[in-house]
Amino acid sequence: MPKHLIIGNGIAGVSAAEAIRALDPEGGITFIAREELLPYSRPMISNVLAGSADFSQLPIRGPDFYQDLGAEVVTGQEAVTLDLEDRTVTTSSGAQKDFDTLLIASGADPRKLKAKGAGAKGVFYLRSADDVRGILRALPGTTHALVLGGGLVGFKAAYGLLSRGVPVTMLIASGYPLSLQVDAEAGAMIQAELVKHGLSVEVGVEVTALETDTAGRVSRAQLSDGGALDCQLVVVGKGVWPSLGFIDPDQITVDAGVLVDDHMMTSRQGVYAAGDVAEHFDLARGTRWVNAIWPVAVEMGRIAGMNMAGRKVAYRGGLSRNVIRIFDLDVLTAGLVNPPEGEGYQVMARRNERLGIYRKLVFKDDHLMGATLVGQVEQGGVLMNAVSGRMPISGDKERLLEPGFNYAYLQPETAQAA
Amino acid sequence: MKSVIVHPERCVGCMQCMPACATAHSEAKDMFLATLEDPRPRPRVHVGAGPAGEGFPNRCRHCDPAPCALACLPGAILRDTETDTVLIDPDLCINCASCAMACPFGVIRYHDDRTAPPGKVVAVKCDNCLERLGQGLIPACVEACQSGALTYEESDQALKRQTDQVAASTVAAAGAARPAAPGFELMMAVKRATKETNRTRA
């Protein structure tokens, strides 16, 4: 009876365990979980911050998840060392767990703020349910909050704080908001929407030092342009980095993330990786990539689990994608958004002021490589699947920009003639 | 198990399935009274126009595994295995549009609905008319469709019919391309007559 050990109880680990159980009713499954909570929806913590969801809504499975699955769990512990000869994992409490197959699904950690005073009270990240609890506790007495970083997490933090009635200033080091996700035009639309609701945005500015009051709580931020801002709360959204400190790179091949093959197996037989910690392949970029997003973690987890249970199933690769709703603005992106110049990409964009929508599509030859939709995002999945499925787009590509675009537009001509 | 099968080549784009669907999901179950309801009932089947203006009845395929369910952040999309239907729980839905990004067919919409808490915008899609099926009725879109673009039948039977049609068209085409040899028809007529005579004699 094989023993499956899973480091992490996030969505990759949970999806893997469920895939294992579907194929292997007998095998042992053990989770090593850093947080005490039941598996929960990490992307939803920003909804809790905004007040549109409650902590009780976070768990993604029922209270008897582990029992129903016939799995064991050790909570509040991290993997510290892997012994691949003895096939054991040592946890932070010193306990040893042995395995036949191992899944590394340890996720990713937020990048730390490097400024002086970054450890002050009132400085938060937005990564776990506990982070949100901390931010909510710090709200009373906060008259002005600072959000560092103009990425998705920064935006969700700013949106959440504004929804709670806290004035927010967002500092963005790069040229415009969401510069990794959208192009400049969509970035400007998003910024305008947030500014309309009371957000101040400063571009090209970073925090150099944080000052504290007598209680050790942040009170003022020194900025790289020589200015300063009063603030009682700072949320850092500088991206995430794969959580792989416990992995010896001499034993398991590591790049930005843990390198995996199409079966989610690492360079070591029987050791798999999935989710935010794993580096596989990006379908639009055509290169190895860490796609640290929820839907890719689900896909990778399922593939890893099936392979761990002995069914050889291959993953074709992931695709960057994201969707956010900011006040009355919906933004959906998939695949390649800002293609490199001079590599044969064809970009088409159309803005409809009356309908308040903007669409940008990136093509290479007959294939759609990426899409940005602002407003009317319902058909985003159709475009996303055209990208990931490498569906050839014949005929007039411009028609994909039409407001009436729907699934029928992608049907081959023969189906219409029949 | 019977399911709704879409034959896009037969769709004339009349859109009658859409009000039928909205009515089926209304409180009143009557098209005229339904228009007075708040929230206004809306269709779950969407007749899109293709690039040449041809109709295309687009409806949830209840995929297995369902990409929308895998992508759902709060775990609000589940499969009812008894009816093979993918359902969205409006109480759990947080209107995050992750399913919009996942659905390869673009059949999910976001609006208020009488099944959702009042004033809450949720993801809405086809529920296979489970309410009607419970009353012994067939799905409303199929009942409304007059052109045969939507049928309610066993999917293996529908597949077999398609296969037979393709096979028949191949044979017919082959026959047209290669006329029978001279005298073949006469010979067959004699054979058939002989057989018939023998049968009636016996």
Side-chain angles (χ1 to χ4, degrees):
Chain A
M1 201 172 78
K3 284 183 193 167
H4 306 287
L5 183 60
I6 300 174
I7 300 174
N9 67 340
I11 189 62
V14 167
S15 302
E18 289 174 340
I20 292 171
R21 190 49 88 222
L23 298 172
D24 174 5
E26 297 291 317
I29 300 176
T30 305
F31 288 94
I32 299 174
R34 185 195 286 178
E35 294 173 72
E36 299 282 356
L37 303 164
L38 277 166
Y40 68 94
S41 179
R42 196 171 293 283
M44 259 179 79
I45 61 169
S46 56
N47 299 69
V48 177
L49 177 62
S52 61
D54 187 80
F55 282 107
S56 65
Q57 286 170 264
L58 288 183
I60 47 169
R61 299 292 186 269
D64 300 325
F65 167 69
Y66 295 113
Q67 292 93 308
D68 292 350
L69 197 64
E72 282 178 51
V73 61
V74 288
T75 57
Q77 297 181 36
E78 293 181 62
V80 178
T81 48
L82 310 182
D83 187 332
L84 298 175
E85 302 308 319
D86 281 354
R87 296 187 98 70
T88 57
V89 173
T90 308
T91 73
S92 42
S93 72
Q96 287 203 335
K97 295 281 168 192
D98 56 339
F99 63 83
D100 296 306
T101 66
L102 173 69
L103 177 67
I104 300 168
S106 46
D109 294 313
R111 289 188 206 221
K112 298 290 177 196
L113 175 65
K114 292 210 181 75
K116 212 165 76 181
K121 280 183 205 160
V123 179
F124 293 96
Y125 297 85
L126 186 56
R127 184 66 186 167
S128 66
D130 273 350
D131 290 336
V132 172
R133 280 180 217 279
I135 296 171
L136 292 179
R137 270 197 301 269
L139 283 186
T142 300
T143 54
H144 186 224
L146 214 54
V147 169
L148 309 183
L152 283 161
V153 168
F155 264 85
K156 288 178 169 185
Y159 176 75
L161 292 167
L162 286 172
S163 305
R164 296 270 179 183
V166 178
V168 181
T169 301
M170 177 185 269
L171 304 184
I172 306 176
S174 60
Y176 59 89
L178 296 179
S179 57
L180 289 179
Q181 278 81 26
V182 302
D183 65 354
E185 184 155 5
M189 290 174 80
I190 296 162
Q191 182 167 336
E193 181 71 16
L194 279 164
V195 167
K196 200 167 84 187
H197 287 89
L199 178 79
S200 332
V201 179
E202 294 196 26
V203 171
V205 184
E206 285 178 282
V207 164
T208 52
L210 294 173
E211 296 171 14
T212 54
D213 61 15
T214 48
R217 181 168 174 177
V218 63
S219 59
R220 199 171 158 82
Q222 298 288 346
L223 307 182
S224 57
D225 63 356
L229 279 171
D230 287 337
C231 57
Q232 297 78 37
L233 181 69
V234 176
V235 181
V236 184
K238 296 252 173 219
V240 294
W241 200 251
S243 181
L244 37 70
F246 58 94
I247 295 166
D248 178 357
D250 294 334
Q251 299 225 2
I252 293 177
T253 312
V254 166
D255 184 40
V258 179
L259 286 184
V260 290
D261 66 11
D262 290 352
H263 305 290
M264 295 292 116
M265 196 161 79
T266 67
S267 56
R268 290 297 285 250
Q269 190 70 31
V271 179
Y272 297 78
D276 292 2
V277 76
E279 179 172 333
H280 186 243
F281 183 78
D282 185 282
L283 291 167
R285 292 182 176 89
T287 175
R288 285 196 322 218
W289 202 262
V290 179
N291 269 321
I293 53 172
W294 178 273
V296 170
V298 176
E299 293 164 6
M300 285 181 156
R302 291 184 76 240
I303 300 281
M306 286 191 263
N307 282 284
M308 289 167 78
R311 184 174 291 179
K312 280 277 176 194
V313 181
Y315 188 47
R316 285 186 307 140
L319 195 67
S320 342
R321 70 197 93 145
N322 253 298
V323 59
I324 45 170
R325 295 191 188 271
I326 305 171
F327 294 108
D328 294 329
L329 205 61
D330 301 337
V331 182
L332 185 148
T333 64
L336 210 56
V337 168
N338 295 315
E341 296 269 339
E343 289 182 24
Y345 290 98
Q346 191 187 357
V347 176
M348 291 178 183
R350 195 182 293 175
R351 186 167 178 173
N352 187 322
E353 298 275 358
R354 188 177 60 81
L355 298 175
I357 62 176
Y358 171 68
R359 281 185 187 177
K360 174 179 166 176
L361 303 174
V362 177
F363 293 93
K364 188 156 198 180
D365 305 322
D366 273 350
H367 296 287
L368 184 64
M369 305 304 283
T372 305
L373 309 181
V374 181
Q376 280 193 14
V377 298
E378 287 87 349
Q379 301 301 313
V382 181
L383 296 169
M384 216 279 307
N385 279 278
V387 179
S388 62
R390 289 193 61 74
M391 202 181 279
I393 311 291
S394 55
D396 181 18
K397 295 187 181 96
E398 193 94 14
R399 69 179 193 228
L400 269 59
L401 290 170
E402 287 170 14
F405 168 78
N406 65 83
Y407 180 69
Y409 281 60
L410 295 181
Q411 292 311 291
E413 300 289 330
T414 46
Q416 292 151 21
Chain B
M1 196 184 302
K2 283 187 176 181
S3 57
V4 176
I5 294 166
V6 179
H7 313 272
E9 72 281 3
R10 292 192 208 156
C11 178
V12 296
C14 72
M15 298 190 182
Q16 289 302 309
C17 50
M18 293 175 68
C21 176
T23 305
H25 292 88
S26 71
E27 196 76 50
K29 314 290 179 215
D30 174 281
M31 195 181 294
F32 297 101
L33 293 175
T35 59
L36 303 173
E37 284 177 25
D38 181 30
R40 172 93 55 95
R42 298 205 224 177
R44 280 91 166 126
V45 59
H46 312 280
V47 179
E54 69 280 17
F56 188 98
N58 205 5
R59 184 183 174 279
C60 174
R61 271 69 163 175
H62 301 275
C63 316
D64 190 8
C68 57
L70 294 178
C72 179
L73 299 185
I77 308 183
L78 294 167
R79 170 173 298 276
D80 178 46
T81 44
E82 225 162 89
T83 56
D84 216 13
T85 300
V86 176
L87 295 170
I88 304 179
D89 184 333
D91 291 319
L92 295 180
C93 175
I94 57 166
N95 185 31
C96 65
S98 289
C99 48
M101 193 167 65
C103 178
F105 306 106
V107 294
I108 306 173
R109 297 292 180 274
Y110 303 84
H111 50 77
D112 47 1
D113 189 73
R114 81 180 171 99
T115 59
K120 185 183 175 186
V121 173
V122 292
V124 180
K125 66 160 198 69
C126 166
D127 61 358
N128 270 338
C129 271
L130 292 186
E131 196 181 344
R132 286 174 57 94
L133 293 186
Q135 299 161 354
L137 300 167
I138 65 166
C141 56
V142 178
E143 193 181 78
C145 183
Q146 299 300 310
S147 70
L150 297 165
T151 56
Y152 185 61
E153 55 190 321
E154 300 286 342
S155 56
D156 52 351
Q157 279 181 14
L159 266 175
K160 182 169 186 323
R161 198 180 60 240
Q162 287 274 18
T163 311
D164 290 349
Q165 275 173 9
V166 171
S169 69
T170 315
V171 172
R178 280 189 300 166
F184 180 81
E185 275 305 326
L186 178 63
M187 182 186 74
M188 286 308 291
V190 170
K191 278 189 174 179
R192 275 194 292 269
T194 312
K195 198 177 172 189
E196 184 68 11
T197 315
N198 289 343
R199 197 179 62 80
T200 41
R201 207 178 279 164

